[in-house]
Amino acid sequence: MAKIEDSNSASISIGLDLPLQPGSALRLDKFDRAGFAKSAAEALRRITSNSGFALSIEGAWGSGKTSALAMIEELLGQGNKAGEPVIVHFNPWLIGDRDALLRNFLSKLATAAKLTDHAKNGKKAAKELKTYAKAFDVMKLIPGAEPWASMIKSVVLAVGETTEEIAEYKTPDIEVQKTRVEDALEKLTQPIIVFVDDIDRLYPLEVFEMIRIIKAVGGLPNVGYVMALDPAYVGRALQSASVPQAENYLDKVVQLRMPLPGMSLTSRRDLVNEALETLHPDAFASHFSDSEDRIAMLYFSGLRELLEQPRDVTRVFNTVRVIEPELRGEVVLSDIVGLATLMVKASPVFELLSKQPSLFVGRLPADPGVRGSSEDIIKKGRKKREETYEKCSSSAAVKRLVQRLFPLTANAEEAFVSGQISGVKGHIADPARLLVALQLSTGAADVSFVAARKYLHHSSKRGEIESTLTSENGLAFLESLGDVAASLKGKGVSDLLDLCLSIARLIDARRDIATARGHFRADTAAVRAISSLVETAGAGQEALIAEAIVRDDACLSMAMHIIAVSSLGATSKSSLHYPSSKAKALQHVFAQNCLKAAQNGRLLETCTSYIILWQLPSFAKSHCQPIFKALKNFDSSLDSFVLCVLRDSFDSYKGQIFALGAEEMRIEAYVALAELKRHGESRLADAALTFPAKAAWRALVEGKRVYGKDGSLAEG
């Protein structure tokens, strides 16, 4: 395994695509191809002193052809040593020069002839091969001669002959020279077998040259050829070289064509399991529930077919190894594997996914300009997706994988895929998770599930995590705490009471989070998170935690919620409530905490200060005037006070509406309404007064419903 360093200096293992080697190939065979190799080796033993033999090992790129050659070579070396063939390795891809192919090939063949047991015969065969090569040098002058013969001159020069010595072959008798070569080769006691690999890595014209070389010398006695090639690519290469009947050209050159057996389903599954086991152990941490079942579902939904060749598995899991550390805990491992497979095996689909993710998941976060539901957006994208599937080599498998990863596409494409989309389970079908996956990081508005889990499990990390929250992601973070808490079923939470208090304090300590999103309230998200935690990790502790929150002077908004549910008849799905026997005492503690907050200027900065001020008169009326006096000491304009107590409703047209409402007596608990109106008139006379305070004072003085944005009147 090779190592590279990621941005955190943690090593990432990259699997090298190394073929098997002779000597260990049979022992390390994972795909039950020993029988295939044995058949090929037996066929090569047909080489005689009267004829040669050409065999092709055929398979797609990355299917393991080089490893099969190693197994065949190993088997050829297991026979009688006296008759053991001389093995020559010729890799045309390493030559790098089309004109050098023939020169290097014949040079290799001549060198191999010298390596036979009978040195005299070997030297004679080598000399005749060189002479045969010289004869081809002038064939370019003969009408109809194959154009590659013009390269023979470079062969002759490569073995040390001079131009003068070449001159005597100006009018060669090619058949005479060929007969001499055959006679010399027939006397060899050991056959020569030339292994030619990587033909499918050559450019098309180089493919043609290599095939023609084999065709020209393939009938020489005591010489065999084993070629590894991708028949589909070779066929296309020959067609592009304008070879007549290109589809049948190989059959004229090769006596035996042996398609490499594909990986069995068992071998394929084992190889994927082996690749998974090479990932970092932290990749398998229980970040998400049902993750093991999901990777099995993806495997049988197109992944198995796309990982068709050994090299496919290597390339896909190399990609997984690179992107997984950045996405660990943010996206479920199965979906990281699925995404990597699209990157490697379906690049047109991945490109479309990157450029237009809404075609796969529908409406994206913070994208209000897009019209229509997610389902409509995905339906409209069906044609583009279908066109992109067709650009992939295994379009049906790609389509099935996409439909499993993104279930809404299955609905739009009239297919059925079971399962729900869940961001908290790390599915990339969730728009927010997909954006995280495509960016390979979390942006300013994205919520990190890793941060949520750390917040739940590690008290020492909470302050640090809170400092990273913004008005963009703070509310979503609170929502994710509830989701993650529910998905973890309380596992890993060791300080439940302190955790609940931390969440309750957070919404009052960060006003930017509390006021970030109009209709959506931070206190509601916090209630849900705490309730999920109590229900999963603290059954039976509801009253204890509720009381602790009410008594804490930094948890006023959450305390107000608990009092409303426990004593004021408010309805809520929350299980947080205290017994009625403690109602009076806890309400008094809460009122005292509110007074203290007003005196230090903190009350109006809480998440639900407007709800607190509105509810206090119903159970702590005696505290209202002292609270008002304290508020006025901090803000003599009373703008902040009136902005709280006159908050009425919110709509998507212009936002917050201010109105006096029907319960004027609640305001009277703090200050005489007439006195407050007179103060309002003086504030409205101030030319420096701006919206929304100006709108709130107008609502009080004029008794109308007024938009805080611009002072326009709201209906109703």
Side-chain angles (χ1 to χ4, degrees), residues 541-705:
Q541 300 183 55
E542 295 87 350
L544 173 66
I545 292 173
E547 181 176 347
I549 291 174
V550 173
R551 289 186 178 278
D552 193 299
D553 62 5
C555 302
L556 297 181
S557 293
M558 185 61 66
M560 185 68 257
H561 170 84
I562 293 171
I563 290 173
V565 172
S566 302
S567 304
L568 305 182
T571 58
S572 172
K573 294 181 180 179
S574 168
S575 58
L576 290 173
H577 56 81
Y578 50 73
S580 57
S581 60
K582 294 192 175 184
K584 195 168 184 179
L586 290 177
Q587 289 170 9
H588 179 75
V589 170
F590 175 74
Q592 286 292 106
N593 287 341
C594 289
L595 178 57
K596 187 191 303 182
Q599 290 169 341
N600 60 30
R602 191 167 49 84
L603 180 60
L604 296 183
E605 296 300 315
T606 59
C607 175
T608 59
S609 55
Y610 61 101
I611 296 176
I612 292 171
L613 290 178
W614 195 250
Q615 292 286 10
L616 273 172
S618 63
F619 63 88
K621 187 173 182 179
S622 62
H623 284 76
C624 291
Q625 288 188 5
I627 287 174
F628 178 79
K629 182 179 179 181
L631 293 176
K632 190 173 183 180
N633 286 338
F634 263 90
D635 176 19
S636 60
S637 72
L638 292 177
D639 288 353
S640 297
F641 175 75
V642 80
L643 283 169
C644 275
V645 296
L646 266 70
R647 282 182 60 150
D648 182 70
S649 58
F650 187 98
D651 68 25
S652 58
Y653 174 53
K654 287 187 178 180
Q656 185 64 54
I657 299 171
F658 294 94
L660 179 58
E663 300 187 50
E664 298 177 2
M665 293 302 296
R666 291 182 182 269
I667 295 178
E668 290 275 6
Y670 295 98
V671 58
L673 191 58
E675 179 184 341
L676 189 61
K677 285 184 177 181
R678 285 195 297 272
H679 183 78
E681 289 170 353
S682 66
R683 291 295 297 133
L684 290 170
D686 185 351
L689 184 65
T690 59
F691 296 110
K694 187 175 182 178
W697 285 117
R698 278 189 56 199
L700 175 69
V701 173
E702 299 173 12
K704 297 177 180 178
R705 303 180 75 240

Side-chain angles (χ1 to χ4, degrees), residues 109-111 113-114 121-131 184:
L109 201 56
T111 301
K114 291 182 181 180
N121 291 335
K123 288 180 180 179
K124 173 67 174 174
K127 181 180 178 182
E128 295 300 339
L129 278 167
K130 292 177 183 178
T131 305

Side-chain angles (χ1 to χ4, degrees), residues 326-501:
E326 289 294 324
L327 298 178
R328 188 175 296 158
E330 305 290 359
V331 176
V332 67
L333 177 60
S334 58
D335 287 25
I336 296 174
V337 174
L339 192 67
T341 304
L342 294 180
M343 289 180 181
V344 173
K345 294 292 293 179
S347 56
V349 171
F350 180 73
E351 183 178 358
L352 180 64
L353 177 65
S354 300
K355 291 181 177 179
Q356 294 182 270
S358 61
L359 299 187
F360 295 80
V361 298
R363 295 178 65 87
L364 300 172
D367 193 9
V370 177
R371 294 184 177 182
S373 66
S374 291
E375 289 77 8
D376 290 339
I377 294 169
I378 293 171
K379 281 182 180 179
K380 290 178 182 177
R382 178 176 181 176
K383 183 178 179 182
K384 274 191 177 181
R385 290 193 305 275
E386 295 281 4
E387 291 172 349
T388 310
Y389 297 150
E390 292 304 316
K391 295 178 182 178
C392 303
S393 58
S394 302
S395 58
V398 170
K399 185 174 183 178
R400 289 172 58 211
L401 179 60
V402 168
Q403 290 175 347
R404 173 60 70 181
L405 287 169
F406 306 102
L408 291 181
T409 65
N411 296 337
E413 293 162 9
E414 299 175 5
F416 174 76
V417 172
S418 60
Q420 295 181 333
I421 298 169
S422 173
V424 75
K425 291 185 178 181
H427 299 170
I428 59 172
D430 175 80
R433 288 304 96 190
L434 177 60
L435 294 183
V436 170
L438 293 177
Q439 294 169 5
L440 303 185
S441 64
T442 52
D446 296 315
V447 176
S448 167
F449 288 143
V450 172
R453 277 187 289 272
K454 284 182 179 178
Y455 194 91
L456 295 175
H457 295 160
H458 304 287
S459 59
S460 61
K461 301 283 187 181
R462 287 171 194 155
E464 177 186 342
I465 293 170
E466 288 174 3
S467 68
T468 66
L469 299 179
T470 67
S471 59
E472 292 293 321
N473 65 14
L475 182 58
F477 174 77
L478 286 169
E479 292 173 344
S480 73
L481 284 181
D483 292 334
V484 173
S487 69
L488 295 176
K489 298 179 181 178
K491 294 178 181 177
V493 176
S494 59
D495 60 338
L496 180 61
L497 177 57
D498 287 342
L499 174 57
C500 293
L501 288 171

Side-chain angles (χ1 to χ4, degrees), residues 48 150 189 209 221 372 545 638-639:
T48 68
S150 63
T189 58
E209 300 295 345
I545 292 173
L638 292 177
D639 288 353

